[in-house]
């Protein structure tokens, strides 16, 4: 892991520390203290003190004990936040975003993933994740920080009008006492003098009806799957199948939402499927692969297009039972 990525992970851990402390104070006032929080706080402290193995064992034990429970995505997020490498962190952040988009820490995972991508110079992916963070978390305490980062990434990508518009909106949302944040915004906005930030309508065609939907609707997954080719096979499989690996595009709390994405994918010639584990959510998956390396290559193709996916296995995967007529 490079020194730059190490700095990003340490920064992310510091953000997690502040946010968790705030959340704990809120829960304490409301009388809703989750006993697992104390375990995560203890694990974080051990990692900060240099005893990473002991801290991660605590998180791993909670993760194993919370499989198929609502607490699982929280533990998965904490495993990412305390991961020893950027690759380990990114894998779990993507799982939280894709498989548990409605979980408490889904927004935090988006922000952390954007930080990792900024450190690697992957501006396109970082921009996508920062935009989704701001869309999903309009009242989040980190929205100012995310706005500054997004404005900077857009300016560095020569998207001056968009970058300046983001910075202007960010500055307008600052309180009168946010002197340091205002200074940061003004520093980034130095290039915005004379830039026209008025939105221009697209020429030649009307926007697609679903183009403004949030990431939690699965739209990002649709865009990536539609761009992937060739279309994968749609035959059945299980843990004993030679094609044991697959790429997950989205997960939903309701079958209706999964059906909607599946219909759009089918209309575009993409063969996808809806599956269940031992119980919901309803997962939308694309492709079956004989090896993890093949699945990882397919996932990288989607990620290069700014799509959040992750490689998983078809173990315990079962298709939906056909509806009775």
């Amino acid at each position: 892991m490079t020194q730059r990525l190490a700095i990003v992970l340490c920064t992310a851990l510091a953000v997690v520390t502040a946010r968790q402390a705030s959340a704990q104070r809120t829960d304490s006032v409301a009388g809703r203290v989750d006993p697992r929080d104390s375990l995560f706080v203890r694990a974080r402290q051990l990692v900060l003190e240099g005893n990473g193995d002991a801290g991660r064992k605590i998180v791993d034990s909670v993760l194993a004990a919370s499989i198929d429970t609502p607490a699982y995505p929280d533990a998965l997020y904490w495993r990412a936040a305390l991961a020893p490498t950027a690759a380990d962190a990114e894998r779990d952040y993507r799982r939280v975003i894709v498989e548990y988009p409605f979980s408490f820490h889904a927004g935090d995972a988006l922000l952390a993933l954007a930080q990792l991508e900024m450190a690697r110079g992957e501006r396109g992916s970082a921009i996508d994740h920062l935009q989704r963070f701001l869309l999903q978390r309009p009242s989040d305490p980190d929205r100012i920080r995310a706005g500054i980062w997004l404005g900077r990434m857009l300016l560095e990508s020569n998207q001056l009008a968009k970058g300046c518009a983001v910075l202007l909106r960010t500055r307008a949302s600052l309180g009168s006492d946010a002197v340091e944040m205002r200074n940061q915004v003004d520093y980034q906005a130095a290039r915005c003098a004379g830039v026209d930030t008025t939105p221009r309508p697209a020429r030649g065609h009307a926007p697609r009806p679903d183009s403004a939907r949030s990431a939690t609707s699965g739209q990002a997954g649709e865009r990536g799957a539609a761009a992937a080719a060739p279309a994968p096979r749609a035959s059945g499989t299980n843990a004993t199948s030679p094609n044991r690996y697959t790429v997950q595009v989205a997960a939903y709390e309701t079958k209706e939402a999964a059906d909607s994405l599946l219909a759009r994918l089918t209309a575009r010639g993409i063969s996808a499927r809806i599956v269940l584990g031992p119980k919901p959510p309803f997962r939308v998956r694309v492709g079956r692969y004989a090896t993890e390396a093949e699945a990882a290559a397919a996932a990288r193709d989607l990620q290069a297009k700014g799509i959040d996916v992750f490689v998983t296995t078809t173990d315990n995967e079962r298709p939906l039972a056909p509806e009775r007529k």
Side-chain angles (χ1 to χ4, degrees):
M1 181 169 55
T2 65
Q3 182 179 7
R4 190 177 184 184
L5 285 178
I7 293 172
V8 170
L9 286 178
C10 290
T11 301
L13 185 57
V15 171
V16 167
T17 301
R19 292 171 68 86
Q20 182 67 8
S22 176
Q24 280 190 302
R25 287 194 296 271
T26 301
D27 288 345
S28 296
V29 171
R32 300 189 306 271
V33 178
D34 189 332
R36 283 183 296 269
D37 288 346
S38 61
L39 293 177
F40 291 137
V41 170
R42 174 58 179 159
R44 180 195 62 211
Q45 187 61 36
L46 288 169
V47 172
L48 291 173
E49 292 173 352
N51 196 352
D53 289 342
R56 294 180 188 105
K57 283 181 180 178
I58 293 175
V59 177
D60 288 343
S61 66
V62 177
L63 192 69
S66 61
I67 293 175
D68 293 330
T69 74
Y72 185 79
D74 292 340
L76 189 63
Y77 168 79
W78 274 97
R79 185 172 73 174
L82 303 180
T85 69
D88 290 338
E90 181 170 348
R91 181 192 62 239
D92 284 341
Y93 284 139
R94 289 190 184 277
R95 283 198 62 192
V96 172
I97 293 167
V98 175
E99 191 161 5
Y100 305 100
F102 307 106
S103 63
F104 180 77
H105 284 299
D108 300 332
L110 275 171
L111 193 61
L113 189 55
Q115 288 179 284
L116 292 174
E117 290 161 342
M118 286 189 294
R120 293 197 299 261
E122 298 176 358
R123 292 175 185 164
S125 296
I127 287 171
D128 178 65
H129 289 129
L130 289 169
Q131 288 174 331
R132 289 171 58 185
F133 175 84
L134 290 171
L135 180 66
Q136 295 177 22
R137 298 293 183 95
S139 300
D140 193 285
D142 272 330
R143 69 190 184 282
I144 302 300
R145 191 189 309 273
I148 294 172
W149 291 344
L150 176 58
R152 189 188 78 206
M153 290 290 104
L154 289 168
L155 293 180
E156 291 177 356
S157 300
N158 290 320
Q159 300 182 56
L160 297 184
K162 291 182 178 179
C164 292
V166 168
L167 291 171
L168 288 175
R169 288 196 300 268
T170 301
R171 196 182 195 283
S173 66
L174 290 171
S176 59
D177 58 343
V179 178
E180 178 58 31
M181 286 296 185
R182 183 173 290 101
N183 289 339
Q184 291 184 38
V185 172
D186 290 344
Y187 177 80
Q188 297 297 334
R191 296 174 57 186
C192 294
V195 175
D196 182 6
T197 60
T198 305
R200 293 179 174 82
R203 294 181 179 178
H205 64 278
R208 291 183 300 170
D210 58 1
S211 62
R213 291 182 182 174
S214 69
T216 57
S217 70
Q219 181 65 18
E222 177 189 352
R223 289 197 301 268
R233 295 176 296 170
S235 58
T237 189
N238 54 42
T240 63
S241 169
N243 294 326
R244 185 187 175 204
Y245 296 94
T246 186
V247 176
Q248 183 154 310
V249 181
Y252 298 92
E253 293 295 321
T254 66
K255 182 176 179 296
E256 290 75 15
D259 282 337
S260 178
L261 174 58
L262 185 65
R264 295 195 300 270
L265 293 175
T266 301
R268 298 184 181 190
I270 303 299
S271 179
R273 64 194 186 278
I274 300 173
V275 299
L276 289 170
K279 60 181 181 179
F282 299 88
R283 297 170 173 87
V284 180
R285 291 177 173 176
V286 174
R288 296 184 177 90
Y289 306 91
T291 67
E292 186 174 6
E294 292 175 359
R300 285 194 296 272
D301 289 341
L302 294 175
Q303 291 168 5
K305 298 174 176 67
I307 309 304
D308 293 310
V309 298
F310 70 93
V311 173
T312 187
T313 71
T314 57
D315 295 359
N316 298 322
E317 176 181 308
R318 59 184 177 89
L320 296 181
E323 296 182 359
R324 294 182 180 180
K325 296 183 179 180

